[in-house]
């Protein structure tokens, strides 16, 4: 149960960072934390205590394997996360070039 | 119908061909983009005729991994609801692709636009046809990431700001959906939507079930920009290039937010008004609030595209009213509105692009003082606006009619009156642009561009022809069947697994 709770705490820290931080890079870090929390949670779902890695070996007695599907899905999710993080940071770099600041309070040319 | 994977494979192929072939000749990317969207349009029209032969449901097993006795691989399921979405996506993307060929003269990197555009289409088509939950997430992310990049395509100050905001909010929605998928997998040990539906059917619906539903709803409401999750939409949709605004506002938020919610809520989780009245009332209330609040904000807007973007939020409100009513008329109204709004809002955003090209600004007050006559754009804009506001004989009239009938059937007369009044308000704020930008102008007539004229006339023709033949063609052949899929609910699982 404790690892699941840690995931939720990590998730909440990420949300906190996105909601309260003023620096674009810190928001991006908060987003990364959020993503790691979800990925970790997903990987934990497939975990079983004292189980083997899900690689087929020709053993006679039945073995306890961990569920391989969440691992495959998390790998996909990590790659997607890589793409979004890279895009987020590159947009942040372009914003810095244009505005000469990373403070969201000063980046508000769009209004109601 | 074993050509089904082409709906995503073709645009993906195009997306990776454009960077290579544009090295030979820059214009080759235009040709690839328009050929592929044309071909997708032909495929989706062909599917209208082919799908009834297969009994209105076709299941494609990717890599021939069998779906019975247990679903091993990823499947694509193509039924009437998917058909409606695929048709709307490809009609609009064809019009936008034709329009983009000339519009892209304003920008430098042609092939970059086409690569992202085709990725966006691939993701949207994939969301509409997939029958696997994780695959759904992957397609959502493909189209979402390309849309973030396309919003920032102009790399001006405002574009970057809108894109950053949109990305952070959109990804929070995406990760919530992923968390819900993780919980669903933990509960059911399967990712096939039909199999998930079967598993949930036999379980009692406890706290975890409702926690999953609320996570998914939160994620999809962010994607569909319903009030109170709408704040990113006006920035993102007004800063994107015009054809992209048309796709984002016309079809993107509906595929990623509304269609997915329809599919999961009705077909996978089997909710309906009888077993979950509070859930549907919540959606209904959010829909009504969305209509009322954004209509008043829209009235005050002074920017052409921002006004249209705000009006999208109130139209999404109408769709959610239909979803919340979830009786026969409500569902038909919501599905027709998805289709009608895609065509007419797409048309309005495309005229915004042409006006911006001629005038160099989108501020309505500056446009009033402009010494140029744009009567063709004015005519096209007004026809689109009339359709959007629900004036017969255009297509946009029927969804409003059915939504009002649906409200009356549930004995909610107040709601019916609200829907009617705000439909008139829609007309008021849309015609504000006609009034200030297009009428009583002096100066020379601007020349229309032939390619953009083709895409305008194509969309106007569709709005008009589907409106005239609504009861003869569109409703019996497409909308009724799609609403049957929604109303049948959990039956979807049995049909898919039997195939």
């Amino acid at each position: 149960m404790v690892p699941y709770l840690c995931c939720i705490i990590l998730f909440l820290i990420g949300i906190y960072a996105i909601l309260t931080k003023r620096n674009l890079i810190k928001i991006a870090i908060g987003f990364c934390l959020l993503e790691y929390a979800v990925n970790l949670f997903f990987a934990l779902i497939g975990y079983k205590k004292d189980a083997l890695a899900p690689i087929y070996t020709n053993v006679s007695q039945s073995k306890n394997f961990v569920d391989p599907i969440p691992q495959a899905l998390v790998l996909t999710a990590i790659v997607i996360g890589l793409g979004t993080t890279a895009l987020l940071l590159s947009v942040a770099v372009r914003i810095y070039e244009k505005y000469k600041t990373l403070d969201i309070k000063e980046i508000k040319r769009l209004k109601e | 119908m074993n050509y089904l994977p082409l709906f995503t494979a073709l645009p993906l192929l195009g997306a990776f061909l454009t960077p290579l072939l544009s090295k030979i000749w820059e214009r080759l990317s235009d040709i690839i983009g328009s050929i592929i969207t044309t071909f997708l349009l032909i495929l989706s029209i062909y599917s209208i005729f082919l799908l009834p032969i297969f009994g209105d449901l076709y299941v494609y097993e990717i890599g021939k991994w069998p779906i019975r006795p247990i679903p091993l691989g990823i499947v694509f399921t193509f039924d009437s609801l998917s058909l409606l979405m695929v048709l709307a996506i490809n009609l609009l993307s064809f019009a936008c692709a034709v329009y983009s060929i000339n519009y892209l003269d304003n920008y430098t990197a042609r092939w970059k636009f086409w690569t992202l555009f085709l990725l966006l289409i691939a993701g949207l088509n994939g969301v509409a046809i997939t029958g696997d939950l994780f695959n759904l997430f992957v397609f959502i992310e493909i189209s979402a990431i390309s849309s973030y990049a396309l919003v920032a395509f102009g790399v001006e100050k405002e574009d970057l700001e809108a894109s950053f905001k949109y990305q952070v909010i959109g990804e929070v929605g995406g990760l919530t959906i992923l968390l819900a998928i993780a919980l669903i997998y933990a509960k059911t040990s399967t990712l096939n939507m039909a199999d998930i539906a079967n598993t949930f059917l036999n379980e009692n619906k406890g706290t975890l079930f409702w926690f999953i539903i609320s996570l998914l709803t939160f994620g999809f409401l962010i994607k569909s920009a319903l009030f109170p999750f709408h704040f990113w939409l006006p920035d993102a949709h007004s800063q994107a290039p015009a054809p992209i605004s048309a796709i984002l506002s016309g079809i993107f938020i509906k595929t990623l937010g509304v269609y997915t919610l329809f599919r999961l809520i009705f077909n996978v989780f089997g909710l309906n008004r009888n077993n979950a009245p509070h859930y549907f009332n919540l959606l209904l209330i959010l829909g009504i609030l969305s209509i009322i609040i954004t209509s008043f904000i829209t009235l005050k807007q002074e920017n052409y595209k921002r006004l249209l973007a705000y009006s999208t939020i109130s139209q999404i409100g109408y769709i959610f009213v239909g979803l919340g009513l979830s009786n026969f008329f409500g569902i038909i109204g919501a599905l027709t509105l998805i289709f009608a709004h895609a065509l007419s809002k797409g048309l309005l955003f495309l005229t915004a692009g042409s006006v911006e090209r001629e005038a160099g600004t989108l501020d309505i007050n500056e446009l009033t003082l402009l010494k140029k006559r744009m009567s063709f754009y004015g005519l096209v804009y007004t026809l689109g606006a009339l359709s959007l506001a629900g004036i017969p004989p255009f297509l946009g009239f029927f969804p409003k009619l059915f939504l009002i009938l649906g409200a009356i059937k549930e004995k909610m007369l107040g709601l019916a009156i609200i829907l009617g009044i705000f439909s008139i308000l829609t007309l008021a704020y849309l015609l504000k642009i006609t009034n200030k930008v297009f009428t009583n102008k002096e100066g020379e007539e601007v020349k229309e561009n032939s390619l953009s004229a083709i895409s305008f006339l194509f969309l106007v023709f569709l709005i008009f022809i589907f409106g005239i033949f609504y009861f003869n063609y569109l409703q019996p052949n497409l909308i009724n069947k799609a609403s049957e899929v929604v109303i049948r609910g959990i039956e979807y699982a049995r049909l898919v697994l039997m195939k």
Side-chain angles (χ1 to χ4, degrees), chain A residues 34-111:
Chain A
L34 207 63
E35 188 196 309
Y36 296 152
V38 176
N39 286 343
L40 192 59
F41 184 81
F42 214 150
L44 276 174
I45 281 170
Y47 175 77
K48 280 181 202 156
K49 202 156 187 282
D50 299 329
L52 293 177
I55 303 164
Y56 179 69
T57 47
N58 201 3
V59 282
S60 52
Q61 75 270 46
S62 63
K63 290 275 184 183
N64 207 4
F65 286 141
V66 297
D67 188 353
I69 291 181
Q71 301 181 0
L73 302 183
V74 165
L75 273 181
T76 317
I78 288 172
V79 175
I80 293 172
L82 172 78
T84 41
T85 314
L87 187 62
L88 198 64
L89 287 175
S90 55
V91 170
V93 169
R94 292 303 286 267
I95 288 179
Y96 184 73
E97 282 172 8
K98 297 268 177 187
Y99 286 86
K100 300 291 174 211
T101 176
L102 283 169
D103 190 343
I104 48 168
K105 286 274 157 53
E106 291 170 33
I107 305 167
K108 43 176 184 185
R109 301 208 12 132
L110 295 164
K111 52 197 180 305

Side-chain angles (χ1 to χ4, degrees), chain B residues 87-107:
Chain B
L87 194 64
I89 293 165
N90 291 316
L91 283 172
L92 188 61
S93 65
F94 170 74
C96 291
V98 171
Y99 181 85
S100 301
I101 294 173
N102 274 316
Y103 182 80
L104 281 180
D105 294 342
N106 304 353
Y107 294 93

Side-chain angles (χ1 to χ4, degrees), chain A residues 11 15 18 24-25 27-28 31 34-35 37-39 41-42 45 67 69-70 72-74 76-77 80 83-84 87-89 91-92 94-95 98-99 104 107-112, chain B residues 134 137-138 141 145-146 148-149 152 155-165 167-168 171-172 175-176 178-179 181-183 185-186 189 191 235-236 238-239 297 301 306 310:
Chain A
F11 191 84
I15 293 273
I18 289 176
L24 292 186
I25 303 295
I27 292 176
F31 166 71
L34 207 63
E35 188 196 309
V38 176
N39 286 343
F41 184 81
F42 214 150
I45 281 170
D67 188 353
I69 291 181
L73 302 183
V74 165
T76 317
I80 293 172
T84 41
L87 187 62
L88 198 64
L89 287 175
V91 170
R94 292 303 286 267
I95 288 179
K98 297 268 177 187
Y99 286 86
I104 48 168
I107 305 167
K108 43 176 184 185
R109 301 208 12 132
L110 295 164
K111 52 197 180 305
E112 278 296 306
Chain B
F134 192 75
F137 171 74
V138 172
E141 289 297 310
I145 293 174
S146 40
Y148 306 146
V155 290
E156 296 299 323
K157 280 184 168 183
E158 293 86 354
D159 302 345
L160 293 167
E161 185 192 335
S163 173
F164 193 88
K165 211 191 267 183
Q167 265 184 67
V168 172
E171 278 310 304
V172 170
L175 288 174
T176 325
L178 183 61
L179 189 60
I181 291 173
L183 286 169
Y185 182 78
S189 303
L191 287 166
D235 296 341
S238 60
Q239 292 308 318
I297 301 176
Q301 293 306 310
R306 237 180 140 70
Y310 268 109

Side-chain angles (χ1 to χ4, degrees), chain B residues 2 40 66 121 141 174 176 208 256 287 373 385 477:
Chain B
N2 48 11
L40 286 175
I121 302 300
E141 289 297 310
T176 325
L208 184 62
L256 257 60
R373 279 170 53 198
N477 285 326

Side-chain angles (χ1 to χ4, degrees), chain B residues 346-423:
Chain B
L347 181 64
L348 299 190
F349 267 114
L350 292 184
T351 60
S354 291
V355 169
E356 189 179 18
R357 260 184 88 164
E358 296 297 338
T361 176
L362 279 172
D363 191 296
I364 293 176
N365 295 321
E366 284 177 39
L367 283 169
T368 318
L369 303 171
L370 188 75
K371 290 268 180 286
K372 267 183 180 175
R373 279 170 53 198
M374 297 177 278
S375 32
F376 176 68
Y377 300 144
L379 178 69
V380 167
Y381 175 88
T382 313
L383 290 176
L386 289 177
S387 168
L388 198 61
I391 305 292
F394 298 105
L395 180 58
F397 166 67
F398 300 98
K400 303 285 165 70
L401 178 73
F402 279 115
L403 288 177
I404 290 173
L405 282 178
I408 292 171
K409 191 151 179 278
E410 293 288 315
K411 305 226 174 6
M412 299 181 189
L413 282 179
L415 175 61
I417 294 168
I418 289 177
L419 292 179
I421 289 175
F422 281 90
S423 179

